[in-house]
Amino acid sequence: MKVKSLVKHLENVAPLSLSESWDNVGLLVETSSSHDVRRVLTTIDLTEPVVQEAVNKKCQFVISYHPPIFSAIKKLTQQSAKDRIIVRCIESGINIYSPHTCWDSMEEGVNDWITSCFSFVTKVPIVPSLVLNGAGMGRIIALSSPLPLIEICNILKDHLKVAHLRLGHADQKQWSVRHSESHQMHDMIRTIAVCAGSGGSLLKGVDADLYVTGEMSHHEVLAVISDGRHVLLSEHTHTERGFLKSITKTLAGMVSEDDDVEFLVSEADVNPLDVV
């Protein structure tokens, strides 16, 4: 499969027009040596171990969810890991593509994957896309029936494959004010707002009982709970890693056998943080 054909395929799955204006998405590195792609490696982060894995597995193309090139590059040296990654890929004939917020926004994307562990009656983007119906940043779901907060924690831990979550409990007085008409119990959840990765800015002020995201700052958490809302934090990377396996299978299933392209999920791509 030609590089241009694969890029077109990826853009059909998640149009670049879905990306946020600040993001850097699409084909970031196009080499002169590898026009034919036979093996694709998908990863959340393009680190030096992942690049070595791509070389070892003879991959000609890497899909890195987070863009390894973000701000302007004025020089490429061996002094930083980011520079070495780009240089090594070019030297090894490895093309680099990043979908980032396109995957966040698209239907059946990262945020939809997070909500897929719940039964709900409605689901809408927090910020709807102006270019594609059904797409947009974040998601708000109304559960089919109210669930205890502890049950939601267990469902999410199982779905995200994590042993722990960080929970911020809503201020009970403000919760009562918000639910003065329904008298909804403090630990019963009807609505959930979701944002993959870092959700502090997107979730700010969103009307939901519970916020689910990867990370927030200390003061963002304080603002949420003082407003009478619960918040669950799984760590940034855990909101994305499970989706990578899902989308890799989807991409592999959408190319024809004649294209003769193999899609692999990186084994070297790991959570950079441990709980000790």
Side-chain angles (χ1 to χ4, degrees):
M1 191 177 203
K2 299 295 184 184
V3 169
K4 289 184 178 180
S5 297
L6 178 56
V7 168
K8 184 177 180 180
H9 171 70
L10 294 172
E11 291 179 359
N12 286 336
V13 173
L16 299 186
S17 57
L18 293 179
S19 69
E20 293 293 282
S21 59
W22 48 262
D23 208 357
N24 190 33
V25 296
L27 186 62
L28 305 186
V29 171
E30 182 179 11
T31 69
S32 60
S33 57
S34 295
H35 299 294
D36 291 313
V37 178
R38 297 176 300 282
R39 188 167 289 169
V40 179
L41 188 69
T42 64
T43 183
I44 294 295
D45 296 303
L46 187 54
T47 60
E48 290 187 283
V50 173
V51 174
Q52 185 61 55
E53 179 185 14
V55 172
N56 293 345
K57 293 180 176 178
K58 296 179 171 55
C59 297
Q60 298 83 30
F61 201 99
V62 169
I63 301 173
S64 176
Y65 171 71
H66 290 133
I69 300 174
F70 200 80
S71 54
I73 296 177
K74 295 186 176 181
K75 57 184 177 181
L76 288 171
T77 69
Q78 293 296 303
Q79 299 305 307
S80 74
K82 284 193 172 185
D83 288 1
R84 293 193 298 270
I85 286 166
I86 302 305
V87 171
R88 182 80 188 280
C89 284
I90 294 172
E91 290 176 339
S92 304
I94 298 173
N95 303 273
I96 304 173
Y97 185 96
S98 178
H100 202 204
T101 51
C102 301
W103 279 6
D104 291 349
S105 177
M106 75 180 197
E107 285 194 270
E108 303 306 319
V110 184
N111 288 298
D112 288 318
W113 175 79
I114 297 172
T115 65
S116 66
C117 60
F118 298 108
S119 173
F120 49 83
V121 291
T122 61
K123 177 176 64 175
V124 295
I126 293 173
V127 180
S129 168
L130 299 177
V131 298
L132 191 63
N133 289 336
M137 299 306 295
R139 296 292 186 270
I140 305 174
I141 60 172
L143 297 173
S144 300
S145 58
L147 287 177
L149 181 58
I150 187 62
E151 184 174 343
I152 288 177
C153 291
N154 291 332
I155 290 171
L156 268 175
K157 284 193 288 187
D158 183 65
H159 184 55
L160 301 179
K161 301 295 187 290
V162 296
H164 307 282
L165 295 169
R166 291 191 290 163
L167 170 61
H169 289 275
D171 178 86
Q172 291 198 28
K173 182 178 180 180
Q174 287 304 313
W175 175 278
S176 298
V177 171
R178 289 186 54 246
H179 297 284
S180 58
E181 294 184 4
S182 65
H183 303 291
Q184 185 176 328
M185 294 180 63
H186 184 250
D187 64 343
M188 295 300 291
I189 306 300
R190 292 179 182 273
T191 55
I192 304 175
V194 170
C195 178
S198 182
S201 59
L202 182 67
L203 294 173
K204 186 176 181 180
V206 172
D207 188 14
D209 297 332
L210 170 66
Y211 291 173
V212 172
T213 187
E215 61 184 355
M216 281 186 176
S217 73
H218 175 79
H219 296 289
E220 287 169 339
V221 171
L222 287 177
V224 172
I225 62 178
S226 64
D227 197 32
R229 309 180 198 279
H230 302 288
V231 59
L232 278 174
L233 306 178
S234 68
E235 305 305 338
H236 191 118
T237 191
H238 294 311
T239 58
E240 303 158 345
R241 291 194 173 277
F243 175 75
L244 187 68
K245 296 179 180 179
S246 173
I247 191 65
T248 302
K249 289 181 180 178
T250 299
L251 294 173
M254 293 181 70
V255 297
S256 68
E257 292 185 5
D258 294 337
D259 290 323
D260 193 26
V261 179
E262 183 181 9
F263 287 81
L264 307 172
V265 178
S266 172
E267 298 177 63
D269 177 40
V270 295
N271 182 359
L273 295 171
D274 287 325
V275 177
V276 297

